Amino acid sequence: MAAAPSGSRTRMVTLISKGGRNFKMPEAVALVSSRSCREALDYIEYRGNNTMMIKLLDIDPKPVSMLVNFCNHMAAAATSAASDDAAQRMREWEERFLGDDVDQALLYDLLSAAISIQADGLIDLVCKRVAHMIKGKTPQEIRTILGIQDDLTPDQRDEIRTDNSWIDI
Amino acid sequence: MSPPDPIEPVSPPPPPAMDFALPSAVVATILSRLDVRSLLLASAACRCLRSCASHALSFLPAFHLLEVALTHDLLRPLMPRNPSLRSLRLDCARLEDAAVGCLARPGLHELTLLNCDNLSGRLLRELSATCQDLRVLSLNSVAERRDLAMGFSDLEALLGGCSNLESLSLALDFSKFDDPNFGHVWSSASEGLSSLEIGYIPLSMLLTLLTVAIESKRSMDCIKAPVFFPSLQKLYLSVDFITDHLIESISTALPSLTHLDLQDAPILEPTSESDLTNAGLQQINLRGKLKHISLIRSLEFLSTSFRRVNDLGILLMSEKCSHLESICLGGFSRVTDTGFRAIIHSCSGLHKLRVSHGSHLTDLVFHDIGATSLCLTHVSLRWCNLLTNVGIERLSCNKDLNVLDLRDCKSLGDEAVRALSCLPRLHILLLDGTDITNQALKYLGLGTCPLVSLSLRGCRNLTNDCIPLLFSGSIKQSLQVLDLSRIPSLTDDAIMLIARSRTPLTELRLRENPKIGDASVMALASMQFDGAIYGSTLQLLDLYDCCGITPLAMRWFKKPYFPRLRWLGLTGSLNRIMVDALVRSRPFLHMSCGGEELGTAYWDSSSDWYRHDDDDSDGLDGEPVSDSDTITED
């Protein structure tokens, strides 16, 4: 595993978004949050003080900055003691993090960014959020919310209805 | 289906189509976070979601479907091979032995199966062979059907095979497992077993088991002697008689117990050798480790009580009970205020207090409860006829009260409710058979309790006017369960007022109300929420013995009305043909025509308690069996 450098500078990991914007996070944070970083950093033998750079060139700056923000917060929370209060505060923070200003497009971009570096914590959070949006809704409502077209054939629709006769579809 | 939604004049940009924005593996992951019903509804949205849903079914970690009893044919396609499945909860009312393969899955850690009447002992054998990683197992009414066999060898197999069990709940009659080896077989049970619940066990079998366990403990041969229940902390069971000998044996055999829940229902008057006395009660908490004690004598068969226990026994018991968090005393008719006060003042950590048939319990018990540091959250005082408004006023200084059951306390009236109406955390309030009038509901309407469940069964002084008073305030936002049974002056007008108040009730009981008729059904059926869906968020509607209901009302139960109805109670003699037709058109609706209480969360009327509330930690998610927020549609 990574040994602390003898110099005073902490090593960073940089994510590069569309438009060449850079977002940095300490290596320790990246190791905790991202599976890809863990695997990559494990594999590289000599780094010296070089920063590892990850290119996410097809993702906008905003989701990438949110991703870095999330990773930093999770790493900080992991070090503090676990308690009911801490869990409650974490839930509240997550609510604010994915608040009303996060529209679906941003949500999907955030998910793509999280998948690119395999940030399991954020993937889980966003998946739960999207699932919550469609929980208990009828198929038509789901189509409206998710912006999808109905492309089922009548045969397929009938099949679904008979297979699940106990729900009114 | 209909064409895409028309473009709105001024609107935010339409959401990006999820099926194009995200890879299908991610969509499947999202779907795997849904409950089963939502997952299937999503699968009907488009081709992409359909195939992702089908993929998701093969890696769901939990499959919970308790609100409907599916047949094997309907269940099988929903449960493909799934090595990630860890938790399974099903209602097996329509499953037979052929379905056991679907139920006993390798890799399961948690299994809860309800209504296993049509499954035989083969289920237990299959579980022992296939589900060896099982940690939590809960089965009820296995092999109840007459032609099905279940015996000792099945229990033996289960205990031996599932060697990682931590919690075992078998809500069945253990006399089926009677065998000379019954006691010894428990030494092969999982060493980590910490919680054991038994439906009913004959006292003789239980005493034999405990004797074997005690002898084994005392045996000199420490290496070869079998070990019984090394980790058992929680024990819940029913016997025929609770006796001193039983208490003593339990205390000796199971020294690490923290939760003890015993219930009996005598059919004969217990003799002095086979009853609980003060001496026995002293043995109950010898090491002072118990956190939860429940001793109930049910009056189901005979009008009897723990006659040989009085204040002295309770006083001596309470001396060792400083760690007690929950106590439940049912049928202690000789205990007076002295005894109950002793408990309140000795048990500083008490959160749950339940007393039933406390015929000598008066207001004095709560007289100086404000001076203690007690923080009661669940209080049940049933059939305590000497309790008056003053006592409740004192009790209401416990601001954390969450559940309050005051059923059949005939001397309670409006002033008691006034005292309760500002409790900020009160979610469940039961006032059946009390002496309240409309004024009490006015207090509730003006108050600030976030009530979720309110029961006013048998409050004969109430009239139609109580409804607008009740729904005048914030209760509309929280109330889900309402019981207005046995209120003779309640008419259809009251129900129409409820419908107009647009309170999204999930359960409404109107049993035995002579003036409730078809107009009520119509009013409830036509409730609309959020525009689109017809009628009623109602999942349970009980109209048993409402004289005004005629066969004309039946058409209001057909689709599309009452889309979420799961339980319906009607009087059986109502046009049999129409009832049968309804049952055919809505096969997954539980219909009750014989007057049985509906629903799974109903306060168990036979034993007058609901047990194991320690398990529902918020106390509030008291619908323990179904996934919350699921649409139930037929």
Side-chain angles (χ1 to χ4, degrees):
Chain A
M1 285 304 291
S6 50
S8 51
R9 235 168 28 117
T10 27
R11 278 204 284 257
M12 304 293 266
V13 168
T14 306
L15 303 180
I16 312 177
S17 75
K18 193 191 271 185
R21 298 265 315 269
N22 287 6
F23 300 94
K24 294 198 165 97
M25 60 177 154
E27 191 180 280
V29 170
L31 283 170
V32 158
S33 327
S34 154
R35 245 188 304 145
S36 314
C37 289
R38 271 203 292 280
E39 284 164 19
L41 291 168
D42 228 3
Y43 189 68
I44 301 169
E45 209 173 271
Y46 174 71
R47 274 169 292 141
N49 282 328
N50 296 331
T51 311
M52 182 163 96
M53 308 193 107
I54 301 179
K55 292 189 201 170
L56 301 172
L57 296 177
D58 50 350
I59 304 184
D60 286 335
K62 177 139 202 245
V64 179
S65 94
M66 284 178 78
L67 171 60
V68 169
N69 187 6
F70 181 86
C71 292
N72 281 324
H73 193 266
M74 288 302 278
T79 53
S80 63
S83 70
D84 284 341
D85 267 341
Q88 177 67 14
R89 267 181 276 125
M90 174 58 78
R91 276 195 294 272
E92 285 165 8
W93 186 88
E94 283 172 1
E95 293 268 312
R96 283 195 307 272
F97 180 71
L98 290 182
D100 292 328
D101 57 333
V102 178
D103 67 356
Q104 269 171 289
L106 180 54
L107 213 53
Y108 297 154
D109 286 342
L110 189 57
L111 190 52
S112 300
I115 291 169
S116 315
I117 65 166
Q118 293 178 296
D120 294 328
L122 187 56
I123 296 175
D124 196 49
L125 183 65
V126 178
C127 282
K128 274 205 277 243
R129 166 59 59 97
V130 180
H132 186 73
M133 279 167 23
I134 59 176
K135 187 170 178 160
K137 301 277 193 290
T138 65
Q140 181 52 40
E141 287 168 336
I142 294 175
R143 282 185 214 115
T144 318
I145 295 172
L146 299 180
I148 41 188
Q149 308 282 13
D150 179 6
D151 58 355
L152 291 168
T153 68
D155 282 338
Q156 285 174 326
R157 240 174 264 133
D158 280 337
E159 204 187 314
I160 295 178
R161 222 173 271 138
T162 32
D163 283 347
N164 303 302
S165 56
W166 50 284
I167 316 177
D168 196 19
I169 296 186
Chain B
M1 293 295 281
S2 54
D5 301 305
I7 301 172
E8 297 161 280
V10 178
S11 62
M18 185 172 87
D19 47 354
F20 291 112
L22 298 173
S24 61
V26 178
V27 176
T29 311
I30 291 172
L31 294 178
S32 72
R33 303 281 193 265
L34 291 171
D35 56 281
V36 176
R37 187 180 293 265
S38 299
L39 181 68
L40 294 173
L41 286 168
S43 74
C46 70
R47 260 185 241 168
C48 167
L49 282 191
R50 184 161 178 242
S51 71
C52 292
S54 152
H55 180 208
L57 284 174
S58 65
F59 63 84
L60 280 186
F63 191 101
H64 295 173
L65 199 57
L66 289 166
E67 72 264 28
V68 66
L70 291 186
T71 59
H72 192 200
D73 287 333
L74 287 171
L75 188 61
R76 217 184 350 225
L78 298 180
M79 299 190 65
R81 203 183 146 262
N82 180 355
S84 315
L85 192 65
R86 295 283 172 264
S87 170
L88 177 59
R89 296 185 197 166
L90 289 177
D91 183 336
C92 300
R94 285 183 202 198
L95 297 178
E96 301 194 345
D97 276 358
V100 168
C102 218
L103 304 172
R105 299 193 150 228
L108 270 184
H109 283 185
E110 191 216 310
L111 180 62
T112 299
L113 299 176
L114 303 182
N115 303 323
C116 307
D117 303 49
N118 297 318
L119 295 169
S120 76
R122 185 179 146 202
L123 173 65
L124 300 181
R125 291 198 299 280
E126 282 290 324
L127 289 176
S128 72
T130 324
C131 302
Q132 289 169 345
D133 286 332
L134 213 51
R135 310 263 193 273
V136 175
L137 176 61
S138 173
L139 302 174
N140 85 358
S141 18
V142 183
E144 290 290 320
R145 212 176 70 195
R146 216 169 290 139
D147 58 328
L148 291 175
M150 181 171 66
F152 176 71
S153 57
D154 300 317
L155 179 67
E156 193 176 21
L158 181 70
L159 292 179
C162 296
S163 47
N164 290 313
L165 270 180
E166 289 163 15
S167 166
L168 177 61
S169 167
L170 295 174
L172 16 116
D173 184 351
F174 264 48
S175 49
K176 291 186 197 184
F177 298 132
D178 201 1
D179 187 273
N181 273 333
F182 176 76
H184 296 277
V185 82
W186 287 92
S187 63
S188 61
S190 152
E191 283 180 0
L193 192 66
S194 66
S195 169
L196 177 61
E197 176 179 349
I198 293 177
Y200 165 77
I201 181 168
L203 184 61
S204 50
M205 277 174 78
L206 182 57
L207 286 174
T208 317
L209 166 58
L210 293 170
T211 312
V212 169
I214 294 172
E215 270 169 14
S216 181
K217 256 170 132 51
R218 291 191 184 143
S219 133
M220 291 287 111
D221 191 348
C222 302
I223 301 173
K224 280 217 219 104
V227 181
F228 287 82
F229 305 122
S231 324
L232 199 66
Q233 293 182 324
K234 301 185 186 184
L235 182 64
Y236 310 91
L237 50 84
S238 282
V239 279
D240 17 15
F241 292 102
I242 296 176
T243 68
D244 284 352
H245 184 37
L246 175 63
I247 302 285
E248 209 182 298
S249 307
I250 290 178
S251 286
T252 319
L254 305 169
S256 336
L257 275 189
T258 58
H259 290 61
L260 179 60
D261 187 323
L262 297 175
Q263 182 168 322
D264 74 2
I267 50 175
L268 297 172
E269 189 63 49
T271 63
S272 56
E273 291 87 41
S274 64
D275 196 7
L276 184 66
T277 71
N278 286 341
L281 207 52
Q282 266 188 279
Q283 300 282 328
I284 203 170
N285 191 9
L286 284 177
R287 287 167 204 81
K289 275 196 194 170
L290 283 180
K291 289 196 204 150
H292 165 81
I293 294 177
S294 173
L295 294 168
I296 301 177
R297 175 153 283 174
S298 163
L299 277 63
E300 191 178 350
F301 302 117
L302 191 66
S303 177
T304 179
S305 62
F306 288 116
R307 286 191 219 284
R308 296 182 176 86
V309 174
N310 59 23
D311 287 335
L312 183 62
I314 302 286
L315 275 164
L316 292 171
M317 180 183 82
S318 64
E319 273 172 13
K320 295 185 217 106
C321 285
S322 50
H323 291 288
L324 211 56
E325 290 171 14
S326 159
I327 187 161
C328 181
L329 297 172
F332 285 83
S333 59
R334 296 269 161 93
V335 177
T336 73
D337 289 338
T338 316
F340 294 120
R341 280 171 68 88
I343 294 173
I344 288 184
H345 290 274
S346 321
C347 307
S348 53
L350 200 65
H351 290 304
K352 299 184 186 179
L353 171 68
R354 307 169 132 181
V355 177
S356 141
H357 293 287
S359 24
H360 294 287
L361 190 150
T362 75
D363 301 332
L364 270 178
V365 174
F366 303 113
H367 180 66
D368 45 6
I369 198 170
T372 68
S373 55
L374 268 191
C375 186
L376 292 172
T377 58
H378 292 58
V379 173
S380 175
L381 301 162
R382 196 143 185 219
W383 286 301
C384 298
N385 291 321
L386 296 179
L387 193 63
T388 73
N389 297 339
V390 174
I392 301 301
E393 273 163 37
R394 293 284 151 82
L395 181 59
S396 66
C397 70
N398 277 282
K399 295 299 175 201
D400 284 328
L401 272 177
N402 195 317
V403 174
L404 189 52
D405 177 357
L406 299 167
R407 287 179 289 173
D408 301 304
C409 289
K410 298 200 179 55
S411 314
L412 291 183
D414 299 337
E415 289 309 303
V417 178
R418 181 197 228 173
L420 299 172
S421 59
C422 8
L423 289 173
R425 302 223 177 108
L426 193 62
H427 288 133
I428 299 180
L429 180 59
L430 307 178
L431 295 167
D432 300 17
T434 54
D435 197 25
I436 57 173
T437 69
N438 292 348
Q439 184 65 26
L441 295 205
K442 184 174 184 186
Y443 290 137
L444 280 181
L446 293 170
T448 52
C449 306
L451 278 183
V452 172
S453 172
L454 176 63
S455 180
L456 302 165
R457 184 180 283 214
C459 294
R460 312 186 70 82
N461 301 328
L462 295 178
T463 70
N464 283 347
D465 294 330
C466 73
I467 301 295
L469 291 171
L470 178 63
F471 287 103
S472 63
S474 59
I475 265 196
K476 264 195 289 203
Q477 267 100 36
S478 55
L479 197 64
Q480 291 175 15
V481 176
L482 184 57
D483 190 338
L484 296 169
S485 308
R486 283 195 225 132
I487 302 177
S489 33
L490 212 65
T491 71
D492 290 335
D493 290 335
I495 309 306
M496 287 198 249
L497 287 168
I498 292 179
R500 243 179 265 146
S501 76
R502 305 188 124 230
T503 311
L505 292 175
T506 56
E507 294 185 18
L508 181 60
R509 291 177 171 86
L510 297 165
R511 297 167 63 97
E512 298 168 57
N513 283 334
K515 297 188 188 148
I516 300 289
D518 296 346
S520 296
V521 179
M522 227 178 344
L524 291 171
S526 345
M527 287 207 290
Q528 278 197 18
F529 293 92
D530 303 326
I533 317 168
Y534 247 123
S536 266
T537 41
L538 275 180
Q539 295 174 14
L540 184 151
L541 180 60
D542 196 346
L543 296 164
Y544 176 68
D545 209 19
C546 286
C547 308
I549 306 277
T550 72
L552 286 174
M554 299 299 282
R555 62 176 284 258
W556 293 99
F557 291 115
K558 296 201 190 130
K559 303 186 207 199
Y561 302 113
F562 293 111
R564 301 181 197 198
L565 203 62
R566 276 278 150 252
W567 303 84
L568 177 61
L570 291 174
T571 309
S573 53
L574 202 66
N575 196 321
R576 199 68 237 185
I577 298 174
M578 296 189 80
V579 167
D580 289 344
L582 180 61
V583 167
R584 271 197 303 279
S585 73
R586 297 184 77 157
F588 295 98
L589 179 66
H590 284 265
M591 265 200 63
S592 157
C593 299
E596 309 91 72
E597 293 291 349
L598 300 181
T600 46
Y602 185 71
W603 318 96
D604 183 6
S605 53
S606 62
S607 66
D608 301 319
W609 300 92
Y610 79 105
R611 298 167 78 178
H612 316 152
D613 54 298
D614 302 303
D615 298 336
D616 36 300
S617 48
D618 326 13
L620 206 240
D621 297 342
E623 270 61 62
V625 288
S626 53
D627 306 323
S628 55
D629 305 326
T630 51
I631 280 193
T632 54
E633 296 180 86
D634 260 329

